[in-house]
DNA sequence: TGACACCTGCGT
DNA sequence: ACGCAGGTGTCA
């Protein structure tokens, strides 16, 4: 479900609600949701931990405990993290997978229809290793057009799979890659090393713009995504290419858009606005 | 690089 | 009944 803008929106909504709260207990209703250190050890180890900060890295929500341990949440396709104030009605959803109870009676609930989401408790060094394995944060100042040019020109890969690779650029997913390539006028099968510096500048600007706008509109809700307060995002109407059906007219030039499959991901582009560069 | 696995639900 | 879905990990 969520890409960088959705995860960031959840982080922002949860930040003031979770900060300084202390976990009283954790219930694991679906064991495979918990990776390290395993369901029982996890439920025990989080008791008494208090939340010092909530960060985001790539598509991970990162709860930093005052102990320096780190709880990571990856929502994968259908995960949802929701805060429930003290006195909220009990959970009735059959898709509740993990529930954290705080000492003041409020709760943090992890729902996940498809059960792909993962929660882990990591020691500081383990979290560092995870973060090291991920690529640039596209909204950091360090992610410049020059840096993107180095990344693209150093690899011989198709541009779309490259941008989806979290070890290269962290946080992009299927929606925003298609949107950024559309805005930059680059065919998704273009060869990364053949993209000119001028086009890389356009692509860099498109990535930053697409992600920033989506955050401004609190994410894209297609079906499952909700903020930490259960609200849908407003970005869907701003999508220009993602999700369009094959043959429907391009919003810019009117020629029919194409829908293809790239690495098992549905991919929409306009053959007229997005010419192929290199072999693809 | 691709095929498949992990899962459930929804639209056609 | 079938295909498809905001993701990623692991095989050959």
């Amino acid at each position: 479900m969520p890409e960088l803008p959705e995860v960031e929106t959840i982080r922002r909504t949860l930040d003031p609600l979770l900060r300084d709260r202390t976990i009283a207990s954790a219930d694991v209703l679906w064991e495979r949701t918990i990776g390290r250190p395993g369901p029982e050890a996890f439920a025990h180890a989080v008791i008494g931990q208090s939340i010092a900060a909530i960060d985001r890295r790539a598509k991970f929500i990162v709860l930093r405990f005052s102990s320096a341990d780190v709880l990571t949440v990856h929502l994968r396709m259908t995960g949802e993290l929701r805060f429930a104030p003290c006195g909220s009605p009990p959970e009735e959803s059959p898709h509740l997978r993990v529930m954290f109870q705080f000492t003041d009676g409020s709760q943090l609930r992890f729902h996940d229809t498809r059960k792909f989401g993962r929660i882990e408790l990591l020691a500081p060094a383990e979290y560092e290793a995870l973060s090291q394995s991920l690529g640039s944060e596209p909204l950091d100042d360090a992610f410049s057009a020059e840096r993107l040019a180095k990344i693209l020109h150093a690899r011989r890969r198709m541009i779309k799979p490259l941008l989806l690779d979290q070890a290269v650029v962290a946080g992009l997913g299927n929606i925003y890659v298609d949107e950024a390539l559309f805005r930059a006028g680059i065919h998704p099968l273009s060869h990364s090393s053949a993209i000119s510096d001028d086009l890389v500048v356009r692509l860099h600007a498109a990535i930053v713009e697409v992600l920033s706008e989506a955050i401004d509109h609190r994410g894209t809700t297609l079906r499952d995504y909700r903020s930490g307060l259960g609200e849908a995002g407003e970005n869907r109407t701003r999508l220009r290419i993602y999700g369009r059906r094959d043959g429907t007219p391009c919003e810019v030039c009117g020629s029919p858009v194409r829908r293809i499959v790239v690495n098992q991901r549905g991919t929409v582009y306009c053959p007229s606005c997005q010419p192929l560069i290199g072999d693809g």
Side-chain angles (χ1 to χ4, degrees):
Chain A
M1 140 208 152
E3 305 180 29
L4 187 155
E6 291 73 40
V7 177
E8 177 61 21
T9 302
I10 293 167
R11 187 198 73 74
R12 291 182 185 187
T13 55
L14 290 180
D15 183 52
L17 299 169
L18 298 189
R19 198 178 281 263
D20 296 327
R21 290 195 199 275
T22 299
I23 295 175
S25 63
D27 295 316
V28 178
L29 291 88
W30 179 254
E31 298 207 338
R32 298 184 67 174
T33 298
I34 307 297
R36 286 178 286 180
E40 293 85 7
F42 174 90
H44 181 74
V46 295
I47 292 173
Q49 300 260 20
S50 70
I51 298 169
I54 305 187
D55 294 336
R56 179 192 56 75
R57 175 77 172 103
K59 299 172 192 171
F60 291 89
I61 300 266
V62 177
L63 301 197
R64 294 188 181 275
F65 292 131
S66 52
S67 68
D69 287 341
V70 172
L71 187 141
T72 60
V73 180
H74 199 301
L75 304 158
R76 295 284 179 94
M77 292 294 266
T78 57
E80 295 175 50
L81 265 185
R82 303 230 202 138
F83 180 75
C86 185
S88 298
E91 184 58 56
E92 65 220 36
S93 163
H95 306 307
L96 182 68
R97 306 303 180 199
V98 178
M99 186 171 76
F100 299 94
Q101 184 96 26
F102 296 111
T103 51
D104 68 344
S106 60
Q107 298 173 339
L108 182 66
R109 300 167 180 176
F110 180 71
H111 300 245
D112 190 12
T113 305
R114 292 177 70 181
K115 303 175 175 170
F116 292 165
R118 291 294 177 265
I119 299 178
E120 299 196 315
L121 181 64
L122 303 179
E126 292 176 309
Y127 175 69
E128 269 316 297
L130 169 65
S131 185
Q132 289 287 323
S133 72
L134 297 164
S136 304
E137 281 292 330
L139 297 182
D140 276 4
D141 290 341
F143 182 72
S144 61
E146 292 75 23
R147 177 122 173 215
L148 181 62
K150 280 192 181 140
I151 291 169
L152 300 194
H153 295 158
R155 327 238 174 174
R156 321 187 102 260
R157 289 176 69 182
M158 290 186 298
I159 187 65
K160 175 160 179 176
L162 184 62
L163 293 176
L164 286 173
D165 186 340
Q166 300 298 296
V168 176
V169 182
L172 289 172
N174 210 31
I175 295 178
Y176 300 109
V177 166
D178 276 11
E179 291 297 312
L181 290 172
F182 178 72
R183 293 198 191 192
I186 298 172
H187 192 295
L189 301 181
S190 292
H191 191 49
S192 67
S193 62
I195 298 174
S196 70
D197 285 338
D198 284 354
L199 263 187
V200 174
V201 168
R202 281 182 68 182
L203 178 59
H204 173 267
I207 289 170
V208 171
E209 182 180 281
V210 153
L211 295 176
S212 302
E213 281 186 18
I215 291 172
D216 289 345
H217 294 88
R218 284 162 288 119
T220 299
T221 297
L222 299 172
R223 153 201 249 88
D224 301 294
Y225 161 71
R226 297 280 123 95
S227 78
L229 289 169
E231 312 145 320
E234 307 291 329
N235 198 61
R236 184 175 188 174
T237 58
R238 309 184 64 82
L239 301 181
R240 301 210 206 144
I241 193 77
Y242 176 86
R244 310 228 27 210
R245 314 234 279 212
D246 187 81
T248 55
C250 170
E251 287 184 14
V252 171
C253 75
S255 65
V257 303
R258 285 277 87 90
R259 183 178 187 89
I260 61 175
V261 175
V262 181
N263 280 26
Q264 277 90 251
R265 313 302 302 278
T267 298
V268 191
Y269 69 101
C270 170
S272 166
C273 296
Q274 298 170 258
L276 183 64
I277 303 161
D279 293 333

